[in-house]
Amino acid sequence: MNRLSLLCLFIMVSTLQASEVVKISKNKMNMAITHDLGTEWKVGQNICVQGNQDSKICGKVVKVKKAGAICKMNSALNGIVPGDEVTADEANEPIVDPMDQEGSASGLEDSPTPKSSKKKSKRKLGLGVRGGVVLAKMTSDVDIDNRTALDAGIFLDVPIGGNIFALEPGLAFVQKGAETSISATGLDYIDLRLLMKARVIEGSFTPVFYFGPYSALLLSAKLNSTSGTTDVKDYYKGVDFGILGGLGFDFRVSPSVDLGLAAFYSLGLLALNADIEGVTIQNPPKNRGLHFGAHFVFQL
């Protein structure tokens, strides 16, 4: 009775030690196999599988997994079915193919292998802050100079149509005006801007084009001269309107933060002087400006 038990145990262990086919690919050129009990297959190891129709087909291990191995065969696995025994081909030395070590040829992975190229993440709504200087000027019949002043504000970055186009509504405090050799006119505005922006190349370094209208509310107007400062707000219209165009560059400093540099040209379209009875101006002044600044955009 003891001998019979030992014989049954030997048969069971022998069966458990055998490696078997568990899956065959659709093109019948690849298969998945189990490990031998206590022994794992190695990449590049040559194997053979014996079918029920006296067909013997050989190949090699191209990828080792926890539950078994993936094999690439030398010919189609015709007549081979799951459950057929797999043995090592001791007649040939193992050949290691670097491409096979990555498992790129197996076609029988447990889950799809992710592509090497990373998919670009879709931009989200962003909140931006901008600060810089403006070289402001007014059109005039006399020789005037730029007023170097402040341009600062906040804006939203609203993606439309993917990562290329976006709308940029924003508010900015902008100092405009002009200077002459004997006086300086300072016009301070709150600008409401609605810019369309296009990112030409999406990446860590991105050129950006800007274009759109602005409307401005006059906060104060002062004339500074040798005799002092005079409030001249009554001589200027309370609103202005124009267009902005510019070019900038965004730099990705983190997955959700961009640092940008930009330059704009503002073209005022409305005459600035207020309508005063009995006063006619042949060439009424209009705002012009070159804006230079830096900004941060935080994706929300």
Side-chain angles (χ1 to χ4, degrees), residues 44 57 67-68 73 85 95 103 123 125 137 142 152 159-160 166 168 181 209 226 236 245 255 262 274 276 293 300:
I57 302 171
M73 309 309 292
E85 184 177 350
I95 301 175
R123 280 187 172 270
L125 177 68
K137 198 170 186 177
V142 299
I160 55 174
E168 187 183 289
S181 59
F209 292 97
T226 55
Y236 291 90
I276 301 176
L300 303 179

Side-chain angles (χ1 to χ4, degrees), residues 178-198:
E179 296 182 0
T180 68
S181 59
I182 59 173
S183 65
T185 301
L187 306 178
D188 295 343
Y189 290 90
I190 287 291
D191 277 13
L192 172 61
R193 300 169 177 173
L194 181 59
L195 303 180
M196 171 69 76
K197 58 198 298 186

Side-chain angles (χ1 to χ4, degrees), residues 130-192:
R130 176 181 285 118
V133 298
V134 54
L135 304 179
K137 198 170 186 177
M138 294 190 296
T139 59
S140 175
D141 293 333
V142 299
D143 185 22
I144 59 175
D145 297 323
N146 294 319
R147 179 196 183 197
T148 303
L150 176 66
D151 180 353
I154 60 175
F155 60 90
L156 291 176
D157 184 276
V158 185
I160 55 174
N163 288 351
I164 297 179
F165 297 104
L167 284 177
E168 187 183 289
L171 287 173
F173 173 73
V174 187
Q175 295 179 313
K176 303 178 184 180
E179 296 182 0
T180 68
S181 59
I182 59 173
S183 65
T185 301
L187 306 178
D188 295 343
Y189 290 90
I190 287 291
D191 277 13
L192 172 61

Side-chain angles (χ1 to χ4, degrees), residues 2-12:
N2 290 336
R3 291 182 180 180
L4 181 58
S5 299
L6 290 174
L7 179 60
C8 291
L9 180 61
F10 176 77
I11 293 174
M12 290 176 62

Side-chain angles (χ1 to χ4, degrees), residues 42-46 59-63 93-97 100:
K42 296 181 180 179
V43 173
Q45 192 170 1
N46 294 290
K60 62 180 177 180
V61 176
V62 295
K63 187 174 183 181
E93 292 293 329
I95 301 175
V96 178
D97 187 342
D100 290 339

Side-chain angles (χ1 to χ4, degrees), residues 18-29:
S19 178
E20 296 181 352
V21 177
V22 294
K23 188 176 181 181
I24 298 174
S25 65
K26 292 182 180 180
N27 62 7
K28 295 188 177 183
M29 294 300 297

